Amino acid sequence: MTATPIRLLLVDDDPLVRAGLALMMGGAQDIEIVGEAADGAQAEELVRRTRPDVVLMDIRMPSVDGLTATQRLRARPGAPQIVVLTTFHADDQVLHALRAGAAGFVLKDTPPAEIVDAVRRVAAGDPVLSPAVTRQLMRHAAGSAADARQARARERLAALNDREREVAVAVGRGLANARIATELFMSVATVKTHVSRVLAKLGLDNRVQIALLAYDAGLLEDAEE
């Protein structure tokens, strides 16, 4: 029995970039390109019509940019997973997109095989953000209004019990479920249950947002100490 292919929408204002993405994705038998859009407004319309599983979304576009489109799409019922395309390792707009619910980001100069793998991982529910890049982004986020942000984050995290808080910190450190299970002496299934409860209690979409919230609250700094 053949698995259902991953339905992918490409969004970039540069036709050459879209052509390159289409070319690299075309060789993957488990990925089906269901449409291409040149800006966020077109992306929203195509999402309604084609119902993709994953959207590769450029951030900087005319008219409706990728950040605005990400916010709007993630607010929809049955929203697709969104991977942000960027030329920067750490950028304010990328950070905002992650807070809005994007499942991660890839650089435009990433090797083709890694971009294909990113689409597969996101479709499977695995955010695309390495621990090193997570730390870089979160350091970039530190700055203005840090104290107020920390207070808000700690207030939200007060809804978690001690075990859920430990799991949230581990997720924030970029650890995979198997590693969290080993460090916290629990099964992988139990880790998954705790992650699901953390997401539900905090009203978050994915592990990236857990990591950002844990950082905002200062929990990752406490863990390092």
Side-chain angles (χ1 to χ4, degrees):
M1 181 178 177
T2 304
T4 302
I6 299 165
R7 298 173 61 80
L8 175 67
L9 177 65
L10 305 177
V11 185
D12 197 294
D13 64 321
D14 188 335
L16 292 178
V17 172
R18 294 200 308 272
L21 290 170
L23 182 63
M24 72 175 69
M25 296 297 169
Q29 295 183 350
D30 58 337
I31 297 175
E32 175 189 359
I33 298 174
V34 297
E36 298 181 18
D39 67 20
Q42 291 182 14
E44 291 180 67
E45 175 60 27
L46 282 174
V47 165
R48 283 192 289 268
R49 286 165 39 197
T50 64
R51 298 185 179 277
D53 302 305
V54 179
V55 178
L56 271 178
M57 178 83 74
D58 187 22
I59 281 288
R60 292 173 174 81
M61 295 182 291
S63 183
V64 178
D65 63 22
L67 173 59
T68 301
T70 295
Q71 291 173 325
R72 291 176 180 175
L73 291 176
R74 289 302 301 170
R76 293 166 52 90
Q81 296 295 332
I82 296 174
V83 179
V84 172
L85 286 167
T86 181
T87 55
F88 299 95
H89 283 274
D91 176 83
D92 280 331
Q93 288 185 305
V94 174
L95 183 65
H96 290 320
L98 294 174
R99 292 187 187 281
F105 76 90
V106 294
L107 299 176
K108 288 188 176 181
D109 60 359
T110 298
E114 293 184 20
I115 295 181
V116 173
D117 182 61
V119 170
R120 290 174 176 144
R121 287 172 53 193
V122 165
D126 182 16
V128 181
L129 210 60
S130 71
V133 173
T134 300
R135 287 192 295 271
Q136 184 178 2
L137 269 172
M138 292 188 298
R139 282 196 301 269
H140 186 71
S144 62
D147 289 342
R149 189 168 58 241
Q150 183 178 88
R152 290 194 300 269
R154 293 197 171 194
E155 183 178 354
R156 291 183 68 185
L157 289 168
L160 305 182
N161 62 37
D162 290 343
R163 204 56 162 162
E164 290 163 349
R165 190 183 181 92
E166 289 177 335
V167 170
V169 171
V171 169
R173 290 168 55 205
L175 303 185
N177 288 340
R179 178 72 180 277
I180 297 174
T182 299
E183 290 202 2
L184 298 183
F185 305 102
M186 62 177 71
S187 70
V188 172
T190 302
V191 173
K192 291 180 179 179
T193 298
H194 282 307
V195 170
S196 295
R197 287 175 179 168
V198 170
L199 291 170
K201 283 187 175 183
L202 300 179
L204 302 177
D205 290 312
N206 55 48
R207 296 166 73 101
V208 174
Q209 291 182 325
I210 295 176
L212 291 170
L213 190 62
Y215 180 83
D216 285 347
L219 297 185
L220 302 189
E221 295 174 4
D222 294 343
E224 290 176 359
E225 292 174 359

